[in-house]
Amino acid sequence: MKERTIRIWAHRGCSMQYPENSIEAFRRAADTPGVVGIELDVQLTRDGEVVVFHDENVSRLTNVNKEIAGYTLKELKELWIAPGDERQSKIPTLREVLECLEPYCKERGLLINIELKTGVIHYPRIEEKSYDLVREFQMEPYIIYSSFWAESIKRMKELNPCNQTGMLAKLLSDCIKWGRYAGADALHPYVGGMDCEIPEDMQGMPIRVWNCEEPFYKDGRALKEQHMEKYAESGVTDLFTNVPELYTSVR
């Protein structure tokens, strides 16, 4: 069946079971049979530390209203994700996440997609800082870098032409346009943004789609079951999902 060909990634970890982008969500995803990779997001603190968090502002997941870029790492570590919840967590650094996932990568081939959150804030040298951490752990073969900002993708290729990259955009057509400009190795459109055919020169390239409609941990939304066969028919090769355990259990 076509749906079996789609590779399953944990979007911000098992982010419906656990707070998104938390060590707990990543560990649960890494322990889930059938998950080929984990997607996460990185930003910089005021003192230049690489931390794993999606929103530019922490208000959605904490009880304060302030941008990540306004905190030092020490200040950020005083916050709780899901404060007061039984699964509250601290915001991790990229170093802490790599320490956690290194054995899964090197022993089982788990992949990590590091999304550089440079689409809104162009964090200075976040590409170099992220790459230096990956090199320190000797995890280059297991990492894919993605961004909505083509200049970040281009920069990762300048740092090392062997760096694997994915161009993010809502529409596949924009992924193609900017992916060509930046020399991306994969296209990462929204699951509902398959607005064109995959061009001949990009046939065989990974098409990894993401879904913003799935609920996150205790956000009050209901889970709508997805049907992977329709994605395979449109050329999708990989799916970033908040509920990887659902798809891997079906398979």
Side-chain angles (χ1 to χ4, degrees), residues 61-218:
L61 297 180
T62 71
N63 56 5
V64 294
N65 181 13
K66 189 174 180 178
E67 290 193 342
I68 287 280
Y71 286 99
T72 65
L73 179 59
K74 182 179 179 181
E75 292 167 342
L76 198 63
K77 282 294 189 178
E78 295 174 357
L79 301 181
W80 289 98
I81 303 174
D85 186 84
E86 70 275 9
R87 285 185 172 171
Q88 63 184 1
S89 308
K90 293 287 189 179
I91 296 172
T93 62
L94 180 57
R95 176 181 295 278
E96 290 168 335
V97 173
L98 295 178
E99 287 173 347
C100 171
L101 297 180
E102 179 184 13
Y104 294 96
C105 296
K106 293 183 177 179
E107 295 170 18
R108 290 169 31 194
L110 183 75
L111 301 175
I112 302 173
N113 185 112
I114 297 176
E115 180 183 338
L116 303 157
K117 295 292 294 182
T118 48
V120 176
I121 301 174
H122 301 333
Y123 292 104
R125 293 183 54 80
I126 190 172
E127 298 88 358
E128 288 86 346
K129 288 173 180 286
S130 300
Y131 180 53
D132 286 347
L133 281 166
V134 168
R135 284 202 308 167
E136 180 181 334
F137 283 87
Q138 298 182 326
M139 291 175 66
E140 298 99 311
Y142 311 103
I143 306 297
I144 296 147
Y145 301 93
S146 65
S147 179
F148 282 92
W149 192 38
E151 297 301 332
S152 280
I153 301 301
K154 191 176 180 182
R155 181 57 183 151
M156 295 313 304
K157 283 297 190 182
E158 291 170 352
L159 289 172
N160 186 342
C162 293
N163 280 338
Q164 290 296 300
T165 59
M167 189 68 234
L168 275 161
K170 184 173 182 179
L171 298 178
L172 177 61
S173 56
D174 285 333
C175 290
I176 292 168
K177 172 185 176 181
W178 293 110
R180 280 202 177 111
Y181 164 77
D185 303 290
L187 308 175
H188 293 188
Y190 167 56
V191 71
M194 301 292 288
D195 64 333
C196 66
E197 297 293 324
I198 300 167
E200 186 174 345
D201 64 315
M202 291 182 167
Q203 293 289 328
M205 182 179 287
I207 310 296
R208 306 184 182 105
V209 297
W210 44 276
N211 187 350
C212 62
E213 296 177 359
E214 292 176 331
F216 289 104
Y217 179 68
K218 290 189 175 182

